[in-house]
Amino acid sequence: MKQNNTAAQVTMKDVANVAGVSTATVSRALMMPEKVAHQTREKVDNAIQQTGYIPYLPSRNHKNNQSKILLVMSLDITDPFLTDVIQGIQQTAAEYGYMVLLLGNQQQSIEQASLSPLLNQVDGIILLGANSPLDIHHHDSLPPMVMANEYLPELKLPTIHIDNLTAAFNAVNYLQQIGHRRIACISGPAHLHLSHYRLQGYIQAIQRSGIALEKRYMLSGSLTFETGSTALTQLMSLPQPPSAIFCHSDIMAIGVIHQAKKIGIKIPEELSIVGFDDIALAQYVDPPLTTMAQPRYNIGHQAVLMLLELLQGCPVKSNSVLLDSELIVRESTAKPHS
Amino acid sequence: MKQNNTAAQVTMKDVANVAGVSTATVSRALMMPEKVAHQTREKVDNAIQQTGYIPYLPSRNHKNNQSKILLVMSLDITDPFLTDVIQGIQQTAAEYGYMVLLLGNQQQSIEQASLSPLLNQVDGIILLGANSPLDIHHHDSLPPMVMANEYLPELKLPTIHIDNLTAAFNAVNYLQQIGHRRIACISGPAHLHLSHYRLQGYIQAIQRSGIALEKRYMLSGSLTFETGSTALTQLMSLPQPPSAIFCHSDIMAIGVIHQAKKIGIKIPEELSIVGFDDIALAQYVDPPLTTMAQPRYNIGHQAVLMLLELLQGCPVKSNSVLLDSELIVRESTAKPHS
DNA sequence: ATGAAAGCGCTAACAC
DNA sequence: GTGTTAGCGCTTTCAT
């Protein structure tokens, strides 16, 4: 008869009482069931059922320091690409019995002061993109961390990512292969390192083909529809508009397609577009998007595996795992007409 | 002599030592700064700086039972609509100093046994959609909860949502207003209550106009591109295909648009489409989508406010807050041609 | 205003 | 195998 149900914590002591054993035994029955007599274990199990006991985590963590929580710091939980990565993280984490605490960048408003204690409570951290809110250098002791999707040489974090430079190079190279000469590039924000790498890939591809780099063909902005949309307007009002555009994200690419249609430019006949990421949506837009596919789910998956290894005390084997990217050719690209 | 300083926790005791006071004073300096002498506080503050002390949450929570963590259980962190809601949640939570623990449905694989303890550690729960992994009825004492985006009468949870029935009714009614008679409906999965309400809205609108309900016009599936895509094929192969389709989500609608184009059906000339949610993407697809807009961000915002009130011990004022929805007419709908 | 000391619920030595 | 006991880091009486 539990009358003390005013949200009163059922403690291990209660269980012990009901089972007629000591708290230590209850604890053992929970933690190392094989080290406790079969009979006793049954009594304890019953008592747990009866009382509705639930282990109180803070106390438990107190000792063994395991919260089974992984922190993910993500730039933007709204970005469909990152969302897929996070999905990979969550699913993999769940397989290993970990929960995922997701911190969006909006929450960077949370002051360091209140953030720090939290870091103390999680078992590991996954940085999804580099503009993390935490001033890593000012923390002496942080939980194990891995970085995903963006490589940041200065912090020597184990990282899982694609070769953004080569990927971008290949994307642009493809456009060149099918005959394009005037190729523009819409980059992500400068503070993201991946923007830098992708831009470099673009630049190298252009230069290698012996064509002069056109400053006016190189725009940048956030990885959003709007950026793509406005960038297109800008590009097409150039005296010599490009015949193809390489975008740093699919979302951007969709923005440019949208705007292109609006001002009556036919894709891919008059303008070729290639995106980046291969989000699910890419194949459903009109025309279906040619894009550099990233292994979205796998990035998340690998990141967790890597982090879990760190948690086990494994040394940081390789400092950076490279995943493959692949150009998916759909219908937003074609030979230049003119 | 603790030489075991391999990432050793800096404890409050250390701070106390350095400051030359007792741990109790340090604790007070942190928790009720005004109750401690100005001088002492300075000494403590300095010591904290020097040692790099960070409060250890599990111990702190131990007593005052405040983790400052809100748990969000979401159906699908990949859904752009839910993602926007979550954004609203995170941002609002952050304003009030709360962090958000996000549990995707994939993580339902985590057994109750390991989930329950976690529930014990969070200050409150937001259910985003009803198919939550937790067997609410089997838990005696759960943290305060609110439900968002879906109304579930049986559990009497404070809920924040739109009137799905009326919204659907209005959407279908609009189609009727502009002249459509053969209107199909692609519903969400049956286990979501909102599918039920939206379907009812559709049914009532059809019936009120005196038209017979056509079973063959009523399809259902997951809220995905694929569902929309396959549903369209099915609908258009009917002897009397519909002239308009009401979809339970924008994603679905985009799927049907995609497929419609593929088989050469002109939108909106030959077929009108209306979606639901008004995700950002809706205005960027071709043609821009007419859709029933939900206040995505605000749903999350309100949910947090509501939950926070509960946490303060406020009684559940109204059991259900209704937010407004609004039909956004874009270019995927037009008068029927024939 | 501050220190000493008693817990909080749990785990881990250490005995029996 | 199981109970006793001593903490874990922190907050909070209760003295002073």
Side-chain angles (χ1 to χ4, degrees), chain B residues 22 24-25 28 36-37 40 62:
Chain B
S22 75
T25 304
R28 275 189 288 254
V36 84
T40 328
H62 211 327

Side-chain angles (χ1 to χ4, degrees), chain A residues 171-183:
Chain A
V172 175
N173 192 244
Y174 163 75
L175 288 170
Q176 295 175 326
Q177 296 288 331
I178 60 175
H180 290 276
R181 288 293 164 264
R182 301 191 311 282
I183 303 174

Side-chain angles (χ1 to χ4, degrees), chain A residues 22 25 28 36-37 40 62-63:
Chain A
S22 75
T25 302
R28 272 189 291 254
V36 83
T40 328
H62 210 329
K63 298 296 280 194

Side-chain angles (χ1 to χ4, degrees), chain B residues 30 74 118-119 200 251 318 334:
Chain B
L30 259 42
S74 174
L118 184 92
L119 301 181
Q200 280 305 314
I251 295 289
S318 58

Side-chain angles (χ1 to χ4, degrees), chain A residues 231-242:
Chain A
L232 179 96
T233 311
Q234 210 173 322
L235 286 171
M236 296 322 275
S237 63
L238 251 30
Q240 274 254 312

